[in-house]
Amino acid sequence: MSASRPPKMVRVRSSLSRQMASTEGGRTVGEAERMANTALAAQRDQALRTLAATVQRLDALCAAGAPGTEPQVYALGTALLDIAGFIDIGPFYEAAYSLCDISDRMTERGAWSWPAVAVHARALTLILAEGCRVSEASAQLLAGLRAVSAHVAES
């Protein structure tokens, strides 16, 4: 019986492996984060313009109060949420979430209240005008929206 030897490994040196070995590669995590933040900041202004236009559409829906347009409120609310989550603007995101919540509840119950939607549209406008910053004013607006949401939940 002969003893078997383990297979012999042969390393093949391709031109790609030589190129990869001779050049420095990659970025530090800090560099990657700075690059990502710079790219995100470049999109922030456009995102804020899109949010403002969407809130204007919401205001127009509230002003018209036309029957059958209620589902559009939820669609606009989710569009606001998507963008607000992308650029991380806390108070605006919370107000948009509240809009979606009340819209869903009112639709589910078949008891629609355009004034509740209008309050949310106005709060979103004010938060945008304030630069979407966390402040005493935004905290008060959000507290008011929570009260509207609680009222809708009770109705």
Side-chain angles (χ1 to χ4, degrees):
M1 195 171 200
S2 68
S4 66
R5 288 187 266 165
K8 184 176 181 181
M9 300 296 286
V10 177
R11 178 162 274 163
V12 177
R13 303 283 293 168
S14 68
S15 61
L16 179 59
S17 68
R18 284 190 294 278
Q19 286 176 340
M20 295 298 289
S22 67
T23 59
E24 291 184 26
R27 293 183 174 91
T28 66
V29 171
E31 290 170 331
E33 184 177 13
R34 278 189 297 281
M35 290 174 66
N37 286 335
T38 300
L40 192 56
Q43 298 300 316
R44 183 179 171 84
D45 290 340
Q46 178 58 40
L48 289 173
R49 284 191 295 276
T50 302
L51 289 173
T54 305
V55 171
Q56 286 176 349
R57 289 175 51 204
L58 182 63
D59 278 332
L61 275 177
C62 290
T69 60
E70 296 87 353
Q72 292 177 36
V73 171
Y74 187 81
L76 291 173
T78 58
L80 293 170
L81 273 179
D82 289 345
I83 297 168
F86 174 68
I87 59 174
D88 190 26
I89 47 177
F92 189 94
Y93 183 90
E94 192 173 335
Y97 184 88
S98 180
L99 172 66
C100 290
D101 182 50
I102 67 157
S103 174
D104 186 50
R105 286 181 193 195
M106 291 185 301
T107 299
E108 195 174 279
R109 292 186 179 160
W112 193 261
S113 169
W114 281 109
V117 176
V119 167
H120 279 77
R122 185 67 184 142
L124 289 162
T125 299
L126 292 170
I127 291 169
L128 271 173
E130 201 176 74
C132 300
R133 290 184 301 274
V134 175
S135 66
E136 181 61 34
S138 67
Q140 288 179 358
L141 286 169
L142 293 174
L145 295 181
R146 284 190 287 278
V148 169
S149 183
H151 178 72
V152 167
E154 293 170 0
S155 318

